[in-house]
Amino acid sequence: MPDLPWSARGSLPPTYACFVTATQLRLRKYWNVPAHLWQLRTLRRQLREADGLLGFAFAARLRNLTFWTISAWVDPDAAAIFAKSHAGSREAFAPQLAASTDVSWSCLAEELPISWPEARHRLSAHPAP
């Protein structure tokens, strides 16, 4: 699966502090991949309609059963509202996960989009339990 590039939804002044989240999910088995790809399709649609979203991107390495997401929000509250609305589908998918890591941080709007090396570096600093 090719990486889905940064999809910008909004913009802010360059010095505005925004909130970024990154997630790494590793699936247990290859047969979970089709269901997860369907889940990502649904997540993309939900993100396009989310209030407070500045942009998002997805990446996957199917050989390693690993998926990444990055999203940038106007503030932590907007991200939390989306996460709460998305929690049910994530909980339902949890049994298919071997590991899950989430990190968040603040950055200036001029630093968007966040690069994959930056996101992976931050995720590797917080390994899954």
Side-chain angles (χ1 to χ4, degrees):
M1 173 182 152
D3 295 349
L4 299 175
W6 185 259
S7 177
R9 284 257 344 266
S11 63
L12 294 169
T15 57
Y16 187 92
C18 54
F19 185 74
V20 178
T21 63
T23 303
Q24 178 179 330
L25 303 174
R26 195 164 23 96
L27 302 179
R28 290 185 187 281
K29 301 180 188 269
Y30 283 103
W31 67 324
N32 297 133
V33 169
H36 192 68
L37 290 173
W38 186 259
Q39 177 83 4
L40 284 177
R41 183 175 181 258
T42 302
L43 180 60
R44 281 182 73 191
R45 187 174 32 240
Q46 292 170 344
L47 281 168
R48 286 186 187 128
E49 298 170 1
D51 290 333
L53 180 73
L54 297 172
F56 64 93
F58 296 107
R61 295 297 171 265
L62 298 181
R63 181 176 296 169
N64 298 334
L65 299 172
T66 305
F67 294 81
W68 295 271
T69 65
I70 303 172
S71 57
W73 302 85
V74 295
D75 58 34
D77 292 337
I81 290 168
F82 180 79
K84 187 175 181 181
S85 70
H86 181 62
S89 58
R90 186 159 178 175
E91 287 172 11
F93 200 73
Q96 299 175 8
L97 299 177
S100 173
T101 305
D102 299 297
V103 296
S104 57
W105 68 95
S106 294
C107 75
L108 297 178
E110 67 186 2
E111 297 175 62
L112 298 177
I114 302 298
S115 69
W116 285 115
E118 171 70 11
R120 289 184 179 119
H121 171 74
R122 288 181 181 265
L123 284 161
S124 68
H126 295 86

